[in-house]
Amino acid sequence: MRVLNAADLQQVLDFPGVINVVADAYREKATGEGTIWPMIYHEFISDQADMDIRSGYLKSQGVYGMKLLSWFAGNDAKQLPELNGTVNLYDDATGLPKGIVNAAALTGYRTGAAGAVATKALANPNATKLLLVGSGSQAAYQVMAELTVLPKLSEVTIVNPVNSVEAKNVAMKLVAQLTSQFLPAIDQNSADYQRLADQLAQLKITASEDLKTATQQAEVIVTATPSTSAMIQADWVRPGTHINTMGADMAGKQEVDEQLFNTAKVFVDDRAQAASVGEAQTAVKAGIVSEEQLPEIGELLAKTTDNQWDPQTVTLFDSTGIALQDIAAANLALDKAAQLNLGQTINL
Amino acid sequence: MRVLNAADLQQVLDFPGVINVVADAYREKATGEGTIWPMIYHEFISDQADMDIRSGYLKSQGVYGMKLLSWFAGNDAKQLPELNGTVNLYDDATGLPKGIVNAAALTGYRTGAAGAVATKALANPNATKLLLVGSGSQAAYQVMAELTVLPKLSEVTIVNPVNSVEAKNVAMKLVAQLTSQFLPAIDQNSADYQRLADQLAQLKITASEDLKTATQQAEVIVTATPSTSAMIQADWVRPGTHINTMGADMAGKQEVDEQLFNTAKVFVDDRAQAASVGEAQTAVKAGIVSEEQLPEIGELLAKTTDNQWDPQTVTLFDSTGIALQDIAAANLALDKAAQLNLGQTINL
C-alpha cells in the first residue's frame, strides 16, 4: 500500500489531469456510475474544531474509499496546520487497501479543480479578468486551476473583506508560488505546460479593497472564504459573469447575495448538500429556489462538454465538495506515484 | 504516524488489556463520553462483497476515527484474505492522524473482547464448559477471550452445523494456536500470564456434531457464524447459561431461537443496531421485544462491575459491533507500539 504526503502530491498532481478526473467524477455521479454515501459531521468545539467523513465509490476507476478531514482553528497557535486528515482508497475487486493520501493537500487540488470544471463549462472561454474573494489556503489552488482552463486570463484581483493585509501579501507572492508549486508537475512536453509558463510570466495579480468595483470588472469570480453573510451583491454582477462559490459547506455559511439564485443560471455539485449546507441554502430558505430545481454540474457534463457561455447570462456554480472528487484525485495521484515509484510504501 | 499490521498487533495486543478497554468503551458510550456516528454500508455484489464504515469519538482516550472493513468472498479463490480494511485514529486536540491499524486483525481482538466483557459481567464466573458455535476466523479470538475471563474454563466444544470437518480441524489445532498466537503478548510477570499458560496446558477442545447435547451441557455459549436461521432452540438452554451471539450484524442474520428474548435477560451493545441488524432483529420483528426494551451492556457497566450471574436465569448478549471497540483497541495497540517502538512509521 502506498502513502503520499503533501510533498508527494505536489510532484504527481498536475492541474490539467486533476480537472479532467474531477469532471469525470461529476459526470459519473450523474450517470450513476459514481455513488456517494451519507456525510458524517462532528463538531468538537463550536466554531473552533470539527471534522467530516465523506465516502463513496467510483466504479469506473475500480476504487472506493473515504476522506476524513478535520479543522482545528487552534492549531495555528501551535504552529500546526489547521486542516489535517487522510484519504483511504480500496480496490473494488478485492477490498484490499490501495493507498493513503494526505487529505489537506488533496483537498486543495480537488477544490481548485472543481471550480475550474464549472468555469470551463460555463464561463467566457476568453475571459481575461478573474476576481478571487478570499486569500486563505485555497487561494493558490483556485487561481492555478482557473488559469488552466482560461488561456487568456491575464489579470487576477484578490479581495479579502476581513483581512486586506493578507490579500496584499498573497497577491505579491502568488505568481512565484504558483510557478514553483504547480508548474513542475505538468508534463513539460505538453501544450499546457508552455502556455501556462508564458501565462504565469505575464500574469498581473493585485489586491483590492473595493469589492464592488472588482466585481463589476470581473468576468469570472471565485469566492473561497468561511463567510456567513453575502459579500457580493446581486446588482454588482454584470451579465456574462461566471461565479464559483466554493466557501459554503456548512449550515450558516453564505458568500453571495441569495437574489443571484433568481437571476443566474445555477449548477451545484450535489443537490441535497447544496440545498442544506451550500451557498444555495439561503436561497432555499428564502423560497427563491427549491432543492429539486438545482441542476447538478454532472448532469450538464453528461449531456455535453461544449462551453455554455452566454454573454447575457450570469452563471453560478455552488460547490460543497463530494467524496468522488477526493477519490478521483487520490486515485490519479496513486496511479502516477506507482508509475514513478514515488511515496512511502507500507505493508498492512 | 504509526502503522500496525497484523503481525504488529499480535505483538502488542494482550487480551486482558483489550477486554479492559472494550469494557471502558461500552461504559463510555452509556455515559455519553463516547459517541458513535451513523454506520455506512454498501454491498458491491449481493451476498458476495460488501463494506461498512464505523466511526466515532472516544473522548477519554483523546481519539476519534473510523474503521472501514470490507468482505469479499471471492478472495479465498485468489489466495487473499476475505476481510480487509483499515482503522484510522486522529488526535482530538489537533486533528492530526495518530495511526493506522490493520482492521481485519483488530476486529478479531475487539470482537473476542466484546464477548468476554459480557461473559465477565453475566456468566457463572466458575464456568468450566464453553460451547463455541462456528469455526471460522473468530474461533481463536473468542476462545482466548473467554479463557481470559473464565479462570476455571477447562472444556471447549466446537460445533459447526454446516462444516463439521472444519470444526474438527480447528478443535485439534486450537490449543497450540492460542498458545503461540496470544500468550506471548501477555506480560509474563502478570498473574494472568501464568494462569492462562496453565489453563491452556490443561484445556480440552473437542468438536461435536450434536448441537442440542452440547447446548444442554454448556455453561457459556458463544455463537460466531454467518447463520441466517436459528441454530440453538430456546428449550435446549439450561437456566444459568450465558450466551454471546456474535454473528448477527446485518439484516436477515440469526443464530438462536428468538424465543430466548422472552425468557433470557438480554443486553445489547447498541440498541438501534441490535434491533435493526443484530440477533434481536427477529425478536423485534416478532413483537417479542421492542428496541426501547433492549438494555445496553454499557448501561449495566456504568452502574456496577459486579458479576450478575443468577443460576436460575439465562443471559444473552447480542453483539453487533460498534466503532468505539475498534477505536479503543486500536488506541491501546498504538500506545503500546509507541512504547516498544514497533510498527512502521510514515510521514504524512
Side-chain angles (χ1 to χ4, degrees):
Chain A
M1 177 166 54
R2 196 171 295 273
V3 179
L4 302 178
N5 61 26
D8 299 325
L9 288 180
Q10 197 173 314
Q11 279 194 72
V12 293
L13 284 181
D14 65 308
F15 262 113
V18 181
I19 291 166
N20 279 339
V21 300
V22 168
D24 289 344
Y26 283 148
R27 196 180 52 242
E28 286 163 17
K29 178 178 189 297
T31 60
E33 294 160 278
T35 313
I36 61 173
W37 300 323
M39 185 166 77
I40 291 168
Y41 173 80
H42 182 77
E43 192 169 50
F44 297 98
I45 309 168
S46 179
D47 293 332
Q48 288 292 310
D50 62 30
M51 70 106 232
D52 57 48
I53 303 175
R54 292 162 201 251
S55 58
Y57 177 25
L58 197 57
K59 202 171 181 176
S60 64
Q61 301 299 312
V63 286
Y64 59 98
M66 63 101 227
K67 174 171 85 170
L68 189 153
L69 188 67
S70 303
W71 171 71
F72 280 71
N75 279 8
D76 213 24
K78 299 174 189 167
Q79 321 287 334
L80 293 170
E82 292 188 358
L83 291 174
N84 290 287
T86 51
V87 178
N88 291 29
L89 293 195
Y90 308 84
D91 183 326
D92 79 343
T94 61
L96 289 173
K98 176 169 179 172
I100 294 173
V101 172
N102 180 304
L106 190 81
T107 299
Y109 282 95
R110 66 80 146 149
T111 308
V117 167
T119 295
K120 192 178 173 188
L122 302 171
N124 177 357
N126 296 312
T128 60
K129 291 192 177 82
L130 171 71
L131 164 61
L132 173 67
V133 185
S135 53
S137 58
Q138 266 294 310
Y141 296 100
Q142 289 296 329
V143 174
M144 191 66 195
E146 294 298 322
L147 278 174
T148 304
V149 294
L150 294 172
K152 306 275 174 66
L153 184 61
S154 57
E155 289 180 41
V156 177
T157 304
I158 302 181
V159 177
N160 184 332
V162 298
N163 190 342
S164 61
V165 174
E166 185 184 82
K168 264 183 212 156
N169 287 336
V170 168
M172 214 153 54
K173 297 177 194 159
L174 198 55
V175 168
Q177 185 190 338
L178 299 181
T179 306
S180 67
Q181 188 172 349
F182 298 118
L183 213 47
I186 302 173
D187 177 3
Q188 304 205 5
N189 298 314
S190 68
D192 279 329
Y193 180 83
Q194 197 51 55
R195 190 260 298 175
L196 282 164
D198 293 346
Q199 211 175 344
L200 278 165
Q202 305 289 329
L203 192 64
K204 266 180 54 187
I205 305 186
T206 52
S208 164
E209 295 184 27
D210 181 356
L211 183 57
K212 182 176 178 180
T213 303
T215 299
Q216 288 167 337
Q217 292 173 345
E219 295 163 279
V220 176
I221 299 173
V222 174
T223 59
T225 73
S227 173
T228 54
S229 61
M231 300 176 290
I232 290 180
Q233 300 309 310
D235 60 6
W236 298 353
V237 180
R238 289 186 310 175
T241 304
H242 172 66
I243 308 175
N244 291 321
T245 59
M246 310 305 297
D249 61 350
M250 279 175 57
K253 288 198 179 175
Q254 182 179 13
E255 299 188 290
V256 303
D257 190 343
E258 64 269 23
Q259 291 305 327
L260 279 165
F261 285 81
N262 248 330
T263 52
K265 189 162 183 176
V266 173
F267 292 89
V268 302
D269 54 0
D270 179 79
R271 196 170 279 124
Q273 230 169 248
S276 60
V277 297
E279 188 65 32
Q281 63 181 293
T282 314
V284 169
K285 277 198 202 99
I288 296 169
V289 282
S290 68
E291 182 181 323
E292 298 70 36
Q293 289 169 321
L294 296 170
E296 295 188 357
I297 189 82
E299 294 164 353
L300 172 65
L301 297 173
K303 272 183 261 167
T304 177
T305 53
D306 291 349
N307 175 274
Q308 303 291 306
W309 184 59
D310 166 6
Q312 300 311 316
T313 308
V314 173
T315 49
L316 188 153
F317 174 56
D318 176 8
S319 161
T320 58
I322 60 172
L324 297 182
Q325 295 168 253
D326 298 299
I327 293 170
N331 193 53
L332 175 69
L334 286 164
D335 285 348
K336 281 211 176 175
Q339 283 168 21
L340 302 170
N341 201 22
L342 270 176
Q344 302 157 80
T345 51
I346 54 176
N347 164 23
L348 197 72
Chain B
M1 177 166 56
R2 196 171 296 274
V3 179
L4 302 178
N5 60 27
D8 299 325
L9 288 180
Q10 198 173 314
Q11 280 194 70
V12 294
L13 284 182
D14 65 307
F15 263 113
V18 181
I19 291 165
N20 280 339
V21 299
V22 168
D24 289 343
Y26 284 148
R27 196 181 51 243
E28 286 164 17
K29 177 179 188 296
T31 60
E33 294 159 279
T35 313
I36 60 171
W37 299 322
M39 186 167 76
I40 291 169
Y41 173 78
H42 182 77
E43 193 169 50
F44 297 99
I45 308 167
S46 179
D47 293 334
Q48 287 293 312
D50 62 29
M51 70 106 231
D52 57 48
I53 303 174
R54 292 163 201 250
S55 57
Y57 176 26
L58 198 56
K59 201 170 180 176
S60 63
Q61 301 299 311
V63 286
Y64 60 98
M66 61 103 229
K67 174 171 82 169
L68 188 153
L69 189 67
S70 304
W71 170 71
F72 280 71
N75 278 8
D76 214 23
K78 301 175 189 168
Q79 321 288 331
L80 293 170
E82 292 188 358
L83 291 174
N84 290 287
T86 50
V87 178
N88 291 27
L89 293 195
Y90 308 84
D91 183 325
D92 80 343
T94 62
L96 288 173
K98 177 170 180 172
I100 293 173
V101 172
N102 181 304
L106 190 82
T107 299
Y109 282 96
R110 67 80 146 149
T111 309
V117 167
T119 295
K120 192 177 174 190
L122 303 171
N124 177 358
N126 296 312
T128 61
K129 291 192 177 81
L130 171 71
L131 164 61
L132 172 67
V133 185
S135 54
S137 59
Q138 266 294 309
Y141 296 101
Q142 289 295 330
V143 174
M144 191 67 196
E146 294 299 321
L147 278 173
T148 306
V149 295
L150 294 172
K152 306 274 173 67
L153 184 61
S154 57
E155 291 180 40
V156 177
T157 305
I158 302 181
V159 177
N160 183 333
V162 298
N163 190 342
S164 62
V165 174
E166 184 183 83
K168 263 181 213 155
N169 288 337
V170 168
M172 215 153 53
K173 297 175 193 161
L174 198 57
V175 168
Q177 184 189 340
L178 299 181
T179 305
S180 66
Q181 188 172 348
F182 298 118
L183 212 47
I186 301 173
D187 177 2
Q188 304 205 4
N189 299 315
S190 68
D192 279 328
Y193 180 85
Q194 198 50 57
R195 189 260 299 172
L196 282 165
D198 293 346
Q199 211 175 342
L200 278 166
Q202 307 288 329
L203 191 64
K204 266 180 53 186
I205 304 185
T206 52
S208 164
E209 296 182 28
D210 181 355
L211 182 57
K212 183 176 178 180
T213 304
T215 299
Q216 288 166 335
Q217 291 174 345
E219 295 162 280
V220 176
I221 299 173
V222 174
T223 59
T225 74
S227 172
T228 53
S229 61
M231 300 175 292
I232 291 181
Q233 299 310 310
D235 59 7
W236 297 353
V237 181
R238 290 186 311 176
T241 305
H242 172 67
I243 309 175
N244 291 321
T245 59
M246 309 306 295
D249 60 351
M250 279 174 59
K253 287 196 178 176
Q254 183 179 12
E255 300 189 289
V256 303
D257 190 343
E258 65 269 23
Q259 291 304 327
L260 279 165
F261 285 81
N262 248 331
T263 51
K265 188 162 183 176
V266 174
F267 291 89
V268 301
D269 54 0
D270 179 80
R271 195 170 280 124
Q273 230 170 244
S276 59
V277 297
E279 188 65 31
Q281 63 181 294
T282 315
V284 169
K285 276 198 204 97
I288 296 167
V289 282
S290 66
E291 181 181 323
E292 299 69 37
Q293 288 169 321
L294 296 170
E296 296 188 357
I297 189 83
E299 294 164 352
L300 171 66
L301 297 173
K303 272 183 263 170
T304 176
T305 53
D306 291 352
N307 176 275
Q308 303 291 306
W309 183 60
D310 165 7
Q312 300 311 316
T313 307
V314 173
T315 49
L316 187 152
F317 173 57
D318 176 7
S319 162
T320 58
I322 60 171
L324 297 181
Q325 295 169 252
D326 299 297
I327 293 170
N331 192 54
L332 176 69
L334 286 165
D335 285 348
K336 281 211 177 176
Q339 283 169 22
L340 302 171
N341 201 24
L342 270 177
Q344 302 157 80
T345 52
I346 54 174
N347 164 23
L348 198 72

